[in-house]
Amino acid sequence: MPELHDPTATFQEFDRDADGYITREEFTLAMSSRGEEVTAAELDSIFKVSDEHDGDVDGRISLAEFLVAWHK
Ligand SMILES: [Ca+2]
Ligand SMILES: [Ca+2]
């Protein structure tokens, strides 16, 4: 079994410029560096579900939003 990643560490890995938010571009880059291709439709659904949790719907995923999505 692979070791379960710490979601906070994963968030920091995705947040390349360390501004506290994951953008769609950062998410796509992080996934492709893991060998995963993400389609625009997948991005839309990931960001729609995650981004609506804190009600700001700013098109970026904060750590709080990421943790909610992680535990789904
Ligand atoms: Ca960022
Ligand atoms: Ca947000």
Side-chain angles (χ1 to χ4, degrees):
M1 282 288 287
E3 204 175 316
L4 192 64
H5 282 287
D6 173 6
T8 302
T10 303
F11 181 88
Q12 287 165 352
E13 181 190 329
F14 277 38
D15 182 16
R16 297 196 165 207
D17 63 0
D19 67 350
Y21 297 93
I22 300 172
T23 61
R24 293 170 68 108
E25 185 179 42
E26 286 173 334
F27 193 90
T28 306
L29 283 170
M31 293 305 281
S32 63
S33 76
R34 293 179 163 204
E36 305 272 354
E37 289 299 325
V38 185
T39 65
E42 286 169 336
L43 266 185
D44 282 345
S45 71
I46 290 162
F47 273 73
K48 186 176 192 301
V49 169
S50 309
D51 194 27
E52 285 176 348
H53 281 293
D54 70 355
D56 63 358
V57 195
D58 58 359
R60 306 178 299 181
I61 297 177
S62 66
L63 178 58
E65 290 168 336
F66 186 81
L67 291 177
V68 170
W70 184 276
H71 290 298
K72 271 189 175 289

